[in-house]
Amino acid sequence: MDHARLTRADLDALDAGDKLAPVRDKFSLPEGVIYLDGNSLGAMPVATAGRVADVVAREWGQGLIRSWNEAGWMDLPGRVGDKIAGLVGAAPGSVMVADSTSVNLFKLLSVALFLRPGRKAILSEAGNFPTDLYVAEGLRDLLDAGHRLEMAATADIVGAIGPDTAVVMLTHVNFHTGRMLDMGAITRAAHAQGALVLWDLAHSAGAMPVDLAGHDVDLAVGCGYKYLNGGPGAPAFLYVAPRLQADARYPITGWLGHAAPFAFEAGYRPASGIQRAMVGTPPVVSLAALEVGVDLALSIDLADVRAKSVLLTEMFARLIVERCAGHGLVVASPADAAVRGSQVCVAHPEAYAIMQALIARGVIGDFRAPDILRFGMTPLYLGFGDLWDAVTILADVMATGVWRDAAYQTRAKVT
Ligand SMILES: *Cc1c(COP(=O)(O)O)cnc(C)c1O
């Protein structure tokens, strides 16, 4: 199979040997859709609808305010946080579900700067996800204390860490290129210079094993609605290493981060541990949906997920090269699986229109400006035969030029 062109039978054989294949039935996916966008919005677990209906009808409708205690609503952020801790190599009590990824970035960047007074640089990667960089700019300007946001090219990150670096803020897997950074090596390099690290796990949590404690990571954030399948706008999570929790100072000192929220004291007194990272009332319905996705991820071995992801990305890239030649499609994600996340990026100047034509034919990926067709590979509900079918449609879209149709040229609000 390695040297000859891939055939449908090769893909079917991979499906037959896929131990994650049965997990697909735990997801509710529409007929006629090949979903290659789970890195943007994960699919819906079958169990989610019932769980959410129960939270709404019984816990809220019947239990009313009693459910904060009786249905354990108040403990949900920490309980789901502890479960996510199990997915990202973190100790219980070090992960909290709260807010959005953007807000958590703001909170933990602030924590980092408070913990490294005197150091003025936030170091990130050129091409990092925009919200991460926007948040850093906003905090820098708000503090008005001479902080800088420095940007290094991927290969220069380690060399750019210096004695003035307060925090190295990076996304583990780049949203655009699919490149995975070396969390261990960069974290060690930052610590050697006395800097902290803040890792964004938006494209890692639930997609591959992550070892925050093993790499001695200081701070991390992650997303609930991508590979954790928590639903649209699912709350995000944050991680603070236990050794930093007692000294962590948060920029939003809300009542649920207070030591005694229901004592209604006059002044702010921080809660201990990760509870301090909370701000306000948790979004219970969304948290309940997220817990279903997290439980599903916990029920399987992330090493199996990663192994399948590597194979899916490899096969998909190969199929595009072998079956779509001559149309100007260039695979832009890393060829080396060791530095590739769970997505395949394909560059083409008309990527937007091509993606719209694909979506119209049931192959759902997304477009990332200026020229990337992005295909997320989600091992829990994607089969190898799906890849063959998706590339058959892509080859047809390219061969017929149907993407030139005027209907595919107009940009929607969400791409
Ligand atoms: C998806 C994603 C986010 C999302 O942030 P929100 O606050 O949930 O909108 C942040 N950072 C990265 C790297 C992402 O991929």
Side-chain angles (χ1 to χ4, degrees), residues 15 46 60 86 91 110 142 202 206 209 212 231 241 262 269 280 282 340 390 396 404:
D15 277 329
V46 173
W60 176 20
S110 304
L142 174 70
L212 292 177
F262 287 90
R269 211 161 41 86
R340 186 175 65 229
D396 187 66
R404 294 176 201 275

Side-chain angles (χ1 to χ4, degrees), residues 39-40 100-103 105 128-132 171 173-175 200-203 221 223-226 234 236 374:
N39 54 334
S40 216
S100 65
T101 305
S102 301
V103 171
L105 281 162
N128 194 356
F129 192 83
T131 203
D132 300 51
T171 302
V173 174
N174 185 281
F175 80 108
D200 186 332
L201 306 177
H203 293 273
V221 297
C223 194
Y225 53 79
K226 292 172 179 163
R374 194 173 67 152

Side-chain angles (χ1 to χ4, degrees), residues 97-187:
V97 176
D99 306 306
S100 65
T101 305
S102 301
V103 171
N104 287 332
L105 281 162
F106 182 83
K107 288 153 60 179
L108 293 194
L109 261 187
S110 304
V111 166
L113 297 184
F114 287 139
L115 289 172
R116 288 293 179 274
R119 291 182 177 230
K120 295 299 182 191
I122 299 166
L123 176 65
S124 194
E125 183 193 23
N128 194 356
F129 192 83
T131 203
D132 300 51
L133 302 176
Y134 300 160
V135 163
E137 285 179 36
L139 179 62
R140 172 199 66 194
D141 297 347
L142 174 70
L143 292 175
D144 194 22
H147 289 98
R148 304 183 305 283
L149 173 60
E150 295 178 348
M151 230 71 84
T154 311
D156 303 332
I157 293 168
V158 164
I161 306 170
D164 201 37
T165 309
V167 55
V168 182
M169 175 190 73
L170 297 167
T171 302
H172 183 218
V173 174
N174 185 281
F175 80 108
H176 203 265
T177 62
R179 175 174 290 273
M180 190 196 310
L181 298 176
D182 186 336
M183 184 180 285
I186 294 173
T187 299

